[in-house]
Amino acid sequence: MAAQTNTANPTGKAGRAVRKRAKTGANHLAGYIFISPWLIGFLLLTLWPIAQSLYLSFTDYSLLEDPVWTGTSNYVNIFTNDSTFTKSLTVTFTFVLFSVPLKLLFSLLVAMALNQKLKGMNLYRTAIYFPSLIGGSIAVAALWRNMFGLDGYINQVLAWFGIQGMGWITNPDTSLGTLILLNTWQFGSTMVIFLAGLKQIPQELYESAAVDGAYRFRRFFSITLPMLSPVMFFNLILGVIGSFQTFTSAFIITKGGPVNSTYVYALFLYEKAFKHYQMGYASALAWILLAIVGLLTVINFAASRYWVFYESEGGGSK
């Protein structure tokens, strides 16, 4: 009997192990079934187009004919023979250099104003954020074009003070500035993130600083900015990525003109793809844009250790 019991024991353990594996496999299968809509969408609508774009960047493809493998010729032509690529990249870097800091600064100032404990502040926050819900739409871009046109609202207001207006969007010296102002005006989501960050700063820090005699200006630079630096870094990354993808305002308001002064990179890519039907060339431009944005993101992350404050890491940025 003892021998039979000892022989049956391993069999029982093996049976329990098999049933456990079967149950685990069933749980995994159920999990995959639940996430299958997202997984199928990711594979078909994201991963597969990305792989296709990478392949097409090494081909000559015009939508009307089958792609022809050309190796790195698209990239060579972009970097050596295409002056428009250099121009669009210069315009885009100028746009990013000015629009991102202005948007961050303006968003922070508005967030601090809306962080005050005043009656009806929730209504003010909603009213200020609401225009940003349609900030990137075609309708707003068309409105902006009318505002800064030769007979637009801006010149009408200036005429009240006896100032002769100008065609802000038709002047190469000011056309890009109008797009920068529009991007700055679209501060809603950035402002909300800043406002959430301000709410997380302990009020005890301000009270202790006030007891020690620190003025508001000193409290802002010694408490608010360091405590808000992770949020600022997050908004900086999103701002840089979003600014490099700017398209609607340049397409609707200026069409890239005058004299290519607002010919941003995304507009250049769009015209190569859907105006000249150079899909392979446009795919190469898209991957170059991805590389530029990725490189800038890596640089920002590397530089963040010197100015971003993380309290959970011992009170320092490292």
Side-chain angles (χ1 to χ4, degrees), residues 54-61 66-73:
L54 181 60
Y55 165 72
L56 292 176
S57 70
F58 295 99
T59 66
D60 181 12
Y61 180 47
D66 293 335
V68 177
W69 182 267
T70 58
T72 60
S73 61

Side-chain angles (χ1 to χ4, degrees), residues 50 53-54 56-58 71-82 84-86 88-90 92-93 244-245 265-266 268-269 272 279-297:
I50 290 175
S53 173
L54 181 60
L56 292 176
S57 70
F58 295 99
T72 60
S73 61
N74 286 330
Y75 294 94
V76 173
N77 289 333
I78 289 172
F79 286 110
T80 60
N81 299 323
D82 196 340
T84 309
F85 165 75
T86 306
S88 65
L89 205 57
T90 302
T92 304
F93 268 101
F244 268 100
Q245 297 175 342
Y265 193 94
F268 174 46
L269 191 157
K272 281 294 182 182
M279 287 296 178
Y281 200 89
S283 297
L285 289 173
W287 279 93
I288 292 173
L289 178 61
L290 175 64
I292 292 173
V293 173
L295 178 61
L296 290 177
T297 302

Side-chain angles (χ1 to χ4, degrees), residues 130-143:
F130 184 75
S132 297
L133 296 176
I134 57 172
S137 67
I138 295 177
V140 171
L143 174 63

